[in-house]
Amino acid sequence: SRVEQRKIGFEVGVPPPGRGLNLRIAEPERNSTVMLSTPRSHRGMVTAPHHLASEAGLRVLRDGGNALEAALAAAATVAVVYPHMNSIGGDGFWLFCAPGEPPRAIDAAGTAGAVVDVEHFRRQGLAAIPFRGPQAACSLAGALSGWELAFSAARAWGGGLSLERLLEDAVHHAEAGFAVTRSQALLTAAKQVELGPQPGFSEVFLYAGVAPRPGSLFKQPALAATLRRLAKAGPDDFYRGELARSVAADLAACGSPLGLADLQAYRATFVEPLSVRLSVGRLYNLPPPTQGLASLIILALYDRLRPAAAEGFDFVHVLVEATKQAFLLRDREIADPGRLRAPPASFLAAEVLDDLASRIDPARALQWPQPAAAGDTIWLGAVDRAGRAVSYIQSTYWEYGSGVVLPQSGITWQNRGASFSLDPSHPRAAGPGRKPFHTLNPALALFDDGRVLSYGCMGGEGQPQTQAAVFARHALHGQELQAAVTAPRWLLGRTWGEESTSLKLEGRFPAELADELAAAGHTIELVPDFTDVMGHAGALLRHPDGLIEGASDPRSEGAVAAF
């Protein structure tokens, strides 16, 4: 629900044996509550940036599915109903855990094609890889291979639902249609000039050459057929089956450097998550090529310098300055996993973090900007009745990725490979089989008191900053979870649709705070309340007694779905 652009928060409480399950629905800024009761045997929660994706995950939980199965259903659905933010032609990263077991992670970042190197682009007279068009479609889509590994992990958790059942909602919404969201309509119109000429885009995403209006019915029949095929043949068909041949033919026809052999060679992998110790517990995130390391560093530095309150100058200033230190290290060190200069975990050693924290001036801002990255992404989470938690992120990089839509399959291809450098000495230089730098990073926290927090955000450079704001407000300063997500946010640098590298503040911050930050040397830019620029965050928190709290961002079209 939306109440004056605020999101409703949910708490599910497990009562004593023999009693029903209480569901408290609270709008944090108004303190209104509603009490519902459902059978204790059915409990779980999903949050996603589109309410139909949350509903798809909830239906799976109601059918007895586990958190990974619910997340798969939500991921498939959100790839249909939020097409400007993600697609099955993009990448994904999974982080999940079961009670008493260490978290596991899946890296489903697509690699560059066999002919994708610096010389490939230079022969075409390019000084940089384009962000739109067939040459931007130069890295493989890894998301579906990640789905396959997540599906196998779901089976290991005792899951028994078929892939056809998990993709049911996605197929339905692609075939029958769904209402175009405000953000899809606005972004399509804003980017129509650059996206309209790209192969296949206008035929799928424009109505007679015009961007769709909010609320209009939107169908994707080719994508529906592709999802039906994947449901029966499995995700591997995208890489080594009939679908792979169709995808490769369409990529070749539009001029992409990717080929069938590239698809056949690709596989997502299980990886060891990165983690760091905080005063309240342990945080987990993904290793390179993601910026998960930066997310962990920001909160580790803030924990060392923690101000007394969760708002005001000290709170924002310390988190922004911690972000700068984390981003400087990130931009020096994070690249393809095979080209790292040092083990990522070495930068999470106490002495390294202490040194970084000592560089933060509590009163003055470090001179900025530094180069920034854009991104379009979705984050979603799920928790099931056994306490298993999932944090998942899926992306095409920029809105609609490369803009290339494959005609036979209806798949929109990402442009993540555009982040490769054409400087052969650069650690992120383009090269066959290399993984591009990723802003994506799903987060998970295991608290010392037994709570488990699954949280994340879309928004390029803003992802680790929003993660830090939400976590610090809730876990380190005691704000209610929904209040921590709803509260005004900031963004250092650029995110999707933005070119400036200022420190952007939502208008709900007090005017005197903006003045204090400017006096300390920050370049301040005020942006509208609840702006998409701040990304779409979400979080799920499970308590040891079974209570589940969920939060969804009023900046999105999402919802928390619980029973």
Side-chain angles (χ1 to χ4, degrees):
S1 281
R2 188 182 298 274
V3 180
E4 295 178 2
Q5 290 193 321
R6 302 183 184 104
K7 192 64 62 175
I8 285 177
F10 292 76
E11 292 182 4
V12 179
V14 178
R19 299 284 300 278
L21 178 68
N22 289 325
L23 172 63
R24 182 167 74 87
I25 307 178
E27 201 285 297
E29 295 184 17
R30 294 200 169 184
N31 243 356
S32 58
T33 61
V34 178
M35 299 299 295
L36 302 176
S37 179
T38 62
R40 186 184 178 196
S41 60
H42 300 295
R43 58 184 184 270
M45 192 174 286
V46 180
T47 184
H50 193 288
H51 63 92
L52 291 177
S54 299
E55 175 64 24
L58 180 65
R59 288 187 62 237
V60 165
L61 292 176
R62 286 185 182 278
D63 286 353
N66 59 44
L68 275 169
E69 291 173 316
L72 279 164
T77 301
V78 81
V80 171
V81 300
Y82 233 39
H84 52 304
M85 294 293 182
N86 75 128
S87 85
I88 62 174
D91 289 344
F93 294 92
W94 296 81
L95 190 55
F96 53 94
C97 68
E101 299 178 4
R104 301 181 68 195
I106 295 171
D107 175 344
T111 53
V115 302
V116 176
D117 58 15
V118 172
E119 290 305 314
H120 167 79
F121 297 100
R122 286 185 173 176
R123 284 192 298 269
Q124 300 175 66
L126 297 171
I129 302 174
F131 281 97
R132 302 294 194 189
Q135 292 305 313
C138 62
S139 66
L140 293 163
L144 287 171
S145 186
W147 289 11
E148 185 168 42
L149 291 187
F151 186 65
S152 69
R155 290 299 176 95
W157 276 359
L161 297 182
S162 68
L163 199 58
E164 286 183 276
R165 170 62 190 85
L166 300 184
L167 300 190
E168 188 176 274
D169 286 47
V171 170
H172 170 76
H173 294 306
E175 197 167 60
F178 59 91
V180 171
T181 62
R182 174 192 60 87
S183 62
Q184 180 184 343
L186 291 177
L187 278 171
T188 305
K191 301 297 179 180
Q192 183 175 340
V193 171
E194 62 189 79
L195 289 169
Q198 306 311 328
F201 183 85
S202 295
E203 293 84 347
V204 174
F205 292 109
L206 302 181
Y207 292 165
V210 178
R213 296 188 308 274
S216 56
L217 187 65
F218 189 80
K219 299 180 180 181
Q220 300 171 84
L223 182 61
T226 295
L227 290 168
R228 283 188 184 280
R229 175 163 187 83
L230 289 168
K232 294 180 179 179
D236 193 63
D237 194 61
F238 178 82
Y239 302 95
R240 283 163 283 277
E242 183 179 324
L243 181 57
R245 290 185 285 276
S246 164
V247 166
D250 281 351
L251 286 168
C254 78
S256 165
L258 298 174
L260 180 60
D262 297 318
L263 288 164
Q264 293 173 333
Y266 180 78
R267 281 183 171 82
T269 57
F270 286 103
V271 294
E272 186 72 22
L274 290 177
S275 71
V276 68
R277 176 75 193 173
L278 265 62
S279 59
V280 293
R282 184 165 285 277
L283 300 187
Y284 293 84
N285 214 300
L286 268 289
T290 82
Q291 64 173 340
L293 177 63
S295 292
L296 297 177
I297 289 175
I298 293 170
L299 281 167
L301 299 186
Y302 181 81
D303 199 37
R304 283 163 164 75
L305 304 169
R306 190 194 312 180
E311 301 301 336
F313 172 83
D314 290 342
F315 176 70
V316 177
H317 174 75
V318 170
L319 276 171
V320 170
E321 294 304 298
T323 298
K324 292 176 181 177
Q325 294 298 325
F327 281 7
L328 289 171
L329 187 147
R330 175 201 71 182
D331 292 340
R332 289 195 309 268
E333 302 296 340
I334 296 180
D336 176 87
R339 294 170 58 80
L340 301 176
R341 297 188 297 184
S346 67
F347 299 108
L348 296 171
E351 59 272 18
V352 175
L353 296 171
D354 290 343
D355 176 64
L356 291 175
S358 71
R359 303 179 191 183
I360 294 176
D361 187 327
R364 295 295 302 173
L366 179 68
Q367 185 176 357
W368 209 252
Q370 296 289 327
D376 272 299
T377 304
I378 63 90
W379 176 88
L380 60 87
V383 176
D384 64 26
R385 58 180 173 268
R388 294 169 294 213
V390 176
S391 181
Y392 178 59
I393 203 158
Q394 187 168 275
S395 175
T396 54
Y397 195 27
W398 285 21
E399 59 284 296
Y400 292 111
S402 66
V404 172
V405 183
L406 307 184
Q408 296 182 75
S409 60
I411 296 172
T412 304
W413 208 268
Q414 68 177 356
N415 65 334
R416 185 64 62 172
S419 65
F420 282 124
S421 170
L422 295 189
D423 176 358
S425 64
H426 195 284
R428 297 177 187 166
R434 293 177 185 172
K435 294 182 178 181
F437 169 71
H438 269 274
T439 52
L440 308 185
N441 63 113
L444 198 68
L446 302 184
F447 292 96
D448 292 338
D449 61 11
R451 292 175 297 153
V452 179
L453 177 67
S454 168
Y455 65 110
C457 181
M458 55 77 75
E461 290 279 288
Q463 285 184 43
Q465 300 180 61
T466 293
Q467 285 184 17
V470 171
F471 185 90
R473 281 170 164 152
H474 174 71
L476 301 179
H477 293 288
Q479 281 192 9
E480 288 187 3
L481 191 60
Q482 181 62 56
V485 170
T486 302
R489 294 205 290 264
W490 63 89
L491 172 70
L492 174 69
R494 186 180 73 171
T495 188
W496 51 278
E498 294 293 319
E499 294 299 326
S500 62
T501 54
S502 58
L503 177 59
K504 300 169 182 65
L505 298 178
E506 283 190 306
R508 290 177 294 142
F509 280 113
E512 52 269 27
L513 172 61
D515 293 339
E516 287 182 85
L517 291 167
H522 296 281
T523 301
I524 302 300
E525 178 183 350
L526 298 180
V527 297
D529 295 349
F530 298 101
T531 173
D532 284 337
V533 168
M534 295 299 161
H536 302 160
L540 297 175
L541 179 70
R542 186 182 191 275
H543 296 257
D545 63 358
L547 179 85
I548 308 173
E549 298 178 63
S552 182
D553 204 319
R555 301 161 184 86
S556 75
E557 284 91 2
V560 174
F563 72 105

